[in-house]
Amino acid sequence: LASNGLGRFMTNRRLEDELSAARQRIAELEAQLEASQRTESELEDENARLRGFLDVVDAAGVGVDIVDTNYKVRGQNAVLQKRFGDIRGKHCYQGYMGRDEPCEFCPMIEAIASGEMQRVELRGVDGRDYELFSVPMSSPDGEPEWVIEIALDVSNRRRREKDLKADLDFTKSILDAVE
C-alpha cells in the first residue's frame, strides 16, 4: 500500500514537473511570438517608408536599381522599368546598354574596388543621356555585394548645352567677322 502511494506520488510529481516545463515552454513561445510580431510590424513600417521614398524618387523621374557584382540587375524602380523593361535577373550591360559584355567605363567596378561612390555620363540603349552614380553596398560580413545605381536623365541638359555652344560659336564667328 505504501509503495502504491509512493508510486502515485512519483507519477503525480513527474506530471507536475512536466506540466511546469510545458507551461514554461509555452511562455517562452508566447514571448518569441510577441517579439516576432513586433519585428514583423517594424518591417512593415520600414517597407512602407521605403515604398514612400521610392514613390517620391519615381515621381521625380530618377532611375534606381540594384546590381550585384556579377552585373545582374536584382531590382529596379518603375522609372527604369518603363524605359528599359523589367530586366531583373539579366545583365545590366545587356538591358541598359545593348552590349554583350560589361562596359569598359562601368562605374560599378571602381565603386566596389574603392568603396566609394563613382559617377559617369553615358547614353543608354533608349538613346537618352544619363548621369549614373554607383554606390557600393556590402554584406553584413563587409564583402562588396552589390551597388545601388542612381540614373539621372540629362538628355535635356545636354541638348541645351549643345544649343548654347552653337549659339556661342555663332556669336564668336560674327565678332570675328566684325573685327
Side-chain angles (χ1 to χ4, degrees), residues 52-175:
F53 171 75
L54 288 176
D55 288 346
V56 169
V57 169
D58 288 346
V62 176
V64 178
D65 69 3
I66 297 171
V67 179
D68 70 21
T69 56
N70 294 314
Y71 304 95
K72 295 263 181 152
V73 177
R74 295 298 174 195
Q76 61 184 153
N77 72 340
V79 171
L80 291 179
Q81 285 184 8
K82 182 178 178 183
R83 291 192 182 159
F84 298 95
D86 184 355
I87 62 168
R88 288 176 293 181
K90 297 178 183 162
H91 290 110
C92 56
Y93 53 83
Q94 292 170 326
Y96 296 135
M97 302 300 290
R99 297 174 59 115
D100 293 327
E101 58 188 37
C103 306
E104 61 278 354
F105 55 83
C106 180
M108 180 179 81
I109 298 165
E110 182 62 28
I112 288 174
S114 69
E116 296 177 0
M117 180 183 75
Q118 299 296 314
R119 177 197 155 283
V120 68
E121 289 195 22
L122 54 87
R123 177 162 290 152
V125 73
D126 65 346
R128 299 191 65 80
D129 295 317
Y130 294 93
E131 186 171 15
L132 182 68
F133 298 88
S134 290
V135 182
M137 303 300 289
S138 299
S139 64
D141 63 1
E143 289 297 313
E145 196 166 28
W146 63 83
V147 295
I148 293 178
E149 294 184 319
I150 301 163
L152 304 176
D153 185 341
V154 295
S155 300
N156 291 336
R157 182 183 82 197
R158 284 241 179 117
R159 198 170 14 263
R160 284 191 310 270
E161 288 171 351
K162 185 178 175 184
D163 291 345
L164 284 172
K165 183 174 180 343
D167 289 348
L168 181 62
D169 290 345
F170 178 71
T171 303
K172 281 183 179 180
S173 68
I174 291 174
L175 290 174

